[in-house]
Amino acid sequence: MAAGLSAGAAQEAVQAGVSAEQEVRLAEQLRFTALVNGDFDAFDELCDDRFIYTHSTGHRDGKSSFSAACRNGLIRYHRIDATAEQIALTGDCAVVTGTMEADLSVSGIPRTVLNLSTSVWVRETGAWKLLASQLTAIQA
């Protein structure tokens, strides 16, 4: 599971002068921790209002529809192991590519997924916000 980091820890990291890449890595960890812990207020705070999530099934959700699906228990994350293999930074934009393995329930049906992942983060008013996330299933 992603390391349990609080919003306070994130602020301390920023104040400690960590690099933009480290800030994005921390934001990714906070994102996955929030989903597994069911802290959807924290997840929503990490997301840009324009957030688009493309599931490995091809289904797309916006910020409000994805958050509602999680809050209503339609999607429930039990474990997420994610790697940020590459972070490409350009100005106030970061593209994170890696893998994500998760145990989750969708409509009460347990699943384990293994995906390639791409996430786009933008820095606005000093904070990194998740703009887009796309998963692609890795075929066994």
Side-chain angles (χ1 to χ4, degrees):
M1 176 176 22
L5 299 168
S6 67
Q11 183 61 28
E12 288 174 20
V14 171
Q15 290 173 349
V18 298
S19 70
E21 181 176 324
Q22 290 169 316
E23 290 174 11
V24 171
R25 283 185 190 282
L26 178 61
E28 282 273 290
Q29 290 174 344
L30 290 169
R31 159 192 174 197
F32 295 126
T33 297
L35 288 172
V36 170
N37 291 341
D39 188 350
F40 305 118
D41 290 339
F43 178 79
D44 286 350
E45 182 62 30
L46 288 166
C47 293
D48 187 274
D49 288 339
R50 302 166 291 176
F51 173 66
I52 296 293
Y53 180 42
T54 304
H55 300 263
S56 60
T57 60
H59 176 75
R60 282 194 182 139
D61 271 308
K63 179 179 176 177
S64 61
S65 62
F66 181 70
S67 182
C70 291
R71 288 175 191 274
N72 295 333
L74 177 64
I75 301 171
R76 202 169 255 139
Y77 289 91
H78 309 292
R79 175 188 64 89
I80 299 174
D81 290 323
T83 61
E85 295 167 4
Q86 180 180 13
I87 298 178
L89 288 156
T90 181
D92 287 333
C93 181
V95 178
V96 181
T97 54
T99 59
M100 189 264 271
E101 182 177 349
D103 293 326
L104 66 150
S105 299
V106 180
S107 298
I109 300 169
R111 292 184 175 175
T112 297
V113 295
L114 179 58
N115 298 300
L116 297 175
S117 62
T118 301
S119 298
V120 179
W121 292 82
V122 291
R123 184 169 34 201
E124 296 179 351
T125 63
W128 288 100
K129 298 288 185 175
L130 184 59
L131 184 63
S133 181
Q134 179 161 346
L135 300 174
T136 303
I138 297 174
Q139 301 303 316

